[in-house]
Amino acid sequence: MKTICLYFEIHQIIHLKRYRFFDIGTDHYYYDDFENERSISDIAERSYMPALNVLQQMIQEHGKYFKVAFSLSGVGIEQLEMHAPQVLEKLQELNNTGCVEFLAEPYSHGLSALVNEECFAADVKKQMAKMQEYFGQTPTVIRNSSLIYSDEIGLQASQMGFKGMLTEGAKHVLGWKSPHYVYNCALAPNLKLLLRDVNLSDDISLRFNNSEWEGYPLFADNYIDKIASLPDEEQVINIFMELSALGIAQPLSSNILQFINALPACAKQKGITFATPTEICMKTKSVGALDVPDTLSWVDEERDVSCWLGNPMQREAFNKLYSVADRVRIANDPRINQDWDYLQASNNFRFMTTKPSNVGLDRGIYSSPFDAFTNYMNILGDFLNRVHTLYPDEIDNDELNSLLTTIRNQGEEIEMKEKEILRLQTKIEKIEAANDKLHEKIDKAKAPAKKAPAKKAPAKKAAAKTEKK
C-alpha cells in the first residue's frame, strides 16, 4: 500500500536594516521592525492562515486517515509570537487532533551543521524546547535547514537520539535508485532517511500556476493517478515544501488550496494512505544505506550548498561569523544569543549569492550581492566587537569556559546561601513568635487573681433593717 508523507516548513527570517560603517560601535540594534511586521503579517494573511484552515478542514473531514507534518524555525516562531499569534494558535488546534507531527530543526535556520557540531546540537535542542512548549511534542525526526544533509550530519543526528531525518532525493546522490523507499545513514544505520520526491513536490510548490508548464493545469485526480502508477514496490512518497508555497509562491487565485483539499479523497479511492515521518520510520524497514559524502540540500539545480557558500564573499562572512561560535555558546549571554540566532539565518548568506538561477530569491533592501555582503559585514563587525569586548581575545576558549564555570558555580553557591539565610530567618521569626506567646502565658499565670467586689444589699431590704432599729 502506497503512503504519502506530506510535510510543510514554516520559517521567516528577521530582516536586517540598512546599517552603515559609521554605525559600528554606536548602534547595536540591527533589525528592520517595520519590514518584519509587514512581511510576516502579509504571509500569515495570504498563506499561513488560509492553508492551515484548509488542512484543519481536511482532518475534520477525513479523521485519522489524513496526516501532515510541520517544522518551525525558532526565529520564525518569534516573528509569529510578536506579529501573528493566530498562526501558532491554529497550529495548536491542529496538534490537538492527533493527526499532526512537529519535527526538529535548527532554531536559527542556520548553517551550523556545516562547521560546528556543538553549535548545531545547541541550536536544535533550543528549537525542540519550543516544540515541547507549544505542542507538547518531543520530536524524534529532524530536518536540517533547507534539508541540508551529509553522512557526517546524519551521524550527529543519530548521536542526538533521532530516529529519522528528512533530506533531498537528489539525482546525483540517488543515481538509479528511487526516492520512494526508506534508506538509512551510511555512518549510522539506525537513522532512517526520508527522501523528498523532487518532481512531485515541485509540481505543487513551483509549477502549479505556470501556464507554460506541460502539466498545466494540474488536477488532484491526475496527481494521485501519477502516484498510483508508480511501481508496486515503491511505497513511500515524500512531498515536502514550504507552507508559503500555498498562497505566496502559488497564489490563492490559482485554486491551489482546492487542489490540496481534494488530495485525500482522490488518494482514498486509489487505496493510498497518509502517514507522518515518525510513523513511516517506525513501520517501514530501510532498504539500505545511502552514501552522501558531500553535502546536499533542496535549493537550486545543483542541490548543494553553493547558494550560501559559493563565492568568496559568502565564505568570508560565514567564517567570520562562526569564528566566535564557541565563545558565544560558552558565554551564553542572552542579548548576544538573540543576535547570534538572527545573524545565523541562512537567508543572510543567500542574499550574497552571485549564481544566475535563484528561484524565489528576493533580496529585499539589497541592490546586489555585494550590497548584501557590505551591509551584513558592517553588522557582523559590530557584533564581533561586542563579543570581544565582553570576552577579550586574550582569554582563550578553555580559560573563558573555566572562568565562566567558576562564576556560575559561585553564583549558584551564593544563591543557595541566600536561600539558606532566608530559611533560617523564617525559622528565627517563628521561634520568636512562639517565644512571645509563651511569655504572654507565663505573665498571665503570675498575675494575682482579682477579688470579686462585695455584693450590695438591695435598697428595699436596707431600708427595712433601718426601721426595725
Side-chain angles (χ1 to χ4, degrees):
M1 181 181 291
K2 288 181 170 56
T3 300
I4 295 174
C5 180
L6 186 61
Y7 154 80
F8 295 101
E9 178 207 11
I10 298 177
H11 166 61
Q12 180 68 19
I13 69 166
I14 307 296
H15 293 274
L16 303 178
K17 68 181 182 182
R18 181 63 68 179
Y19 194 91
R20 311 291 181 185
F21 174 80
F22 297 104
D23 293 326
I24 298 174
T26 61
D27 183 2
H28 304 316
Y29 191 77
Y30 313 134
Y31 315 108
D32 186 340
D33 292 333
F34 175 81
E35 181 59 23
N36 285 326
E37 181 176 3
R38 186 207 65 77
S39 60
I40 191 66
S41 299
D42 179 61
I43 292 174
E45 181 180 354
R46 292 168 53 202
S47 172
Y48 291 169
M49 288 306 295
L52 292 175
N53 283 330
V54 166
L55 291 170
Q56 185 179 38
Q57 179 183 335
M58 293 162 69
I59 292 174
Q60 291 171 347
E61 182 178 349
H62 299 284
K64 298 294 183 180
Y65 168 77
F66 178 70
K67 305 286 181 65
V68 64
F70 297 94
S71 72
L72 295 82
S73 70
V75 295
I77 291 174
E78 290 186 19
Q79 289 293 285
L80 293 173
E81 288 173 335
M82 288 188 287
H83 305 304
Q86 69 272 20
V87 175
L88 292 172
E89 292 171 3
K90 181 60 67 175
L91 286 167
Q92 288 174 324
E93 291 178 17
L94 286 167
N95 179 55
N96 292 336
T97 66
C99 299
V100 176
E101 179 179 358
F102 290 91
L103 310 185
E105 71 164 78
Y107 189 95
S108 66
H109 199 269
L111 307 173
S112 56
L114 301 175
V115 67
N116 192 300
E117 290 186 2
E118 291 81 4
C119 180
F120 176 63
D123 215 6
V124 171
K125 289 177 182 176
K126 186 174 181 180
Q127 187 266 358
M128 290 175 67
K130 280 287 187 182
M131 296 301 97
Q132 181 63 40
E133 175 187 346
Y134 273 101
F135 311 113
Q137 292 193 23
T138 301
T140 59
V141 175
I142 182 174
R143 60 92 62 189
N144 197 5
S145 309
S146 300
L147 297 189
I148 291 173
Y149 176 80
S150 69
D151 292 336
E152 293 291 338
I153 294 173
L155 176 61
Q156 185 177 357
S158 174
Q159 292 170 342
M160 293 171 65
F162 291 106
K163 305 301 181 185
M165 189 166 187
L166 275 52
T167 189
E168 180 78 340
K171 289 181 180 179
H172 71 275
V173 171
L174 283 170
W176 57 268
K177 298 177 181 178
S178 167
H180 304 141
Y181 295 92
V182 173
Y183 296 90
N184 63 264
C185 174
L187 300 180
N190 60 331
L191 181 78
K192 293 183 178 178
L193 301 177
L194 303 185
L195 307 185
R196 174 178 179 261
D197 185 305
V198 177
N199 291 327
L200 289 173
S201 299
D202 289 352
D203 282 351
I204 299 175
S205 62
L206 296 182
R207 294 183 283 267
F208 184 83
N209 194 43
N210 182 5
S211 58
E212 297 179 0
W213 172 45
E214 61 181 11
Y216 180 87
L218 181 62
F219 296 103
D221 54 352
N222 295 336
Y223 186 80
I224 293 298
D225 286 345
K226 189 185 298 187
I227 294 174
S229 66
L230 293 170
D232 292 340
E233 60 272 17
E234 297 186 12
Q235 296 292 310
V236 179
I237 294 85
N238 299 309
I239 301 171
F240 305 159
M241 69 192 77
E242 296 177 350
L243 185 61
S244 60
L246 311 182
I248 302 298
Q250 308 304 320
L252 298 180
S253 59
S254 68
N255 294 323
I256 183 67
L257 294 184
Q258 288 80 351
F259 169 84
I260 293 293
N261 192 26
L263 289 178
C266 295
K268 190 178 292 186
Q269 291 177 357
K270 296 292 183 177
I272 299 172
T273 62
F274 287 82
T276 63
T278 293
E279 288 175 340
I280 292 175
C281 289
M282 296 295 289
K283 297 177 181 178
T284 309
K285 292 183 179 180
S286 168
V287 297
L290 189 70
D291 294 311
V292 189
D294 299 317
T295 310
L296 63 86
S297 76
W298 72 356
V299 179
D300 289 348
E301 290 295 327
E302 296 83 356
R303 300 292 195 263
D304 57 14
V305 295
S306 59
C307 67
W308 302 289
L309 301 175
N311 64 49
M313 293 186 298
Q314 292 171 308
R315 290 191 291 273
E316 181 180 352
F318 178 82
N319 291 333
K320 277 194 174 295
L321 174 67
Y322 284 100
S323 68
V324 295
D326 290 330
R327 301 181 78 77
V328 171
R329 177 178 52 81
I330 293 167
N332 197 26
D333 180 85
R335 188 67 184 89
I336 292 292
N337 286 347
Q338 185 181 53
D339 292 333
W340 173 251
D341 289 335
Y342 298 166
L343 294 178
Q344 278 192 91
S346 62
N347 310 66
N348 293 315
F349 301 98
R350 197 176 185 210
F351 293 148
M352 305 174 200
T353 185
T354 52
K355 293 177 64 177
S357 59
N358 303 305
V359 177
L361 177 61
D362 178 6
R363 296 187 200 273
I365 64 171
Y366 305 124
S367 59
S368 67
F370 182 73
D371 186 27
F373 170 73
T374 302
N375 199 69
Y376 184 82
M377 292 304 286
N378 286 340
I379 291 173
L380 186 57
D382 184 79
F383 176 76
L384 295 178
N385 285 343
R386 289 165 55 206
V387 173
H388 294 150
T389 299
L390 286 172
Y391 313 106
D393 291 340
E394 292 76 16
I395 305 174
D396 61 30
N397 287 339
D398 291 338
E399 186 179 357
L400 176 62
N401 190 24
S402 176
L403 288 171
L404 290 176
T405 301
T406 300
I407 292 170
R408 291 190 188 106
N409 290 341
Q410 288 176 344
E412 290 173 1
E413 187 176 347
I414 290 171
E415 185 178 354
M416 288 176 62
K417 288 183 177 179
E418 287 177 346
K419 288 180 179 179
E420 181 65 15
I421 290 171
L422 183 61
R423 186 184 69 80
L424 292 173
Q425 286 177 338
T426 303
K427 189 174 181 179
I428 290 170
E429 289 173 359
K430 288 181 179 179
I431 292 173
E432 289 178 345
N435 193 38
D436 290 342
K437 288 182 180 179
L438 182 61
H439 279 299
E440 288 179 6
K441 288 182 180 180
I442 293 173
D443 291 341
K444 287 180 179 179
K446 287 182 177 180
K450 294 182 179 179
K451 294 182 180 179
K455 292 183 179 180
K456 294 183 179 179
K460 290 183 178 179
K461 291 182 179 180
K465 287 180 181 180
T466 305
E467 289 178 359
K468 285 180 181 181
K469 289 180 180 180

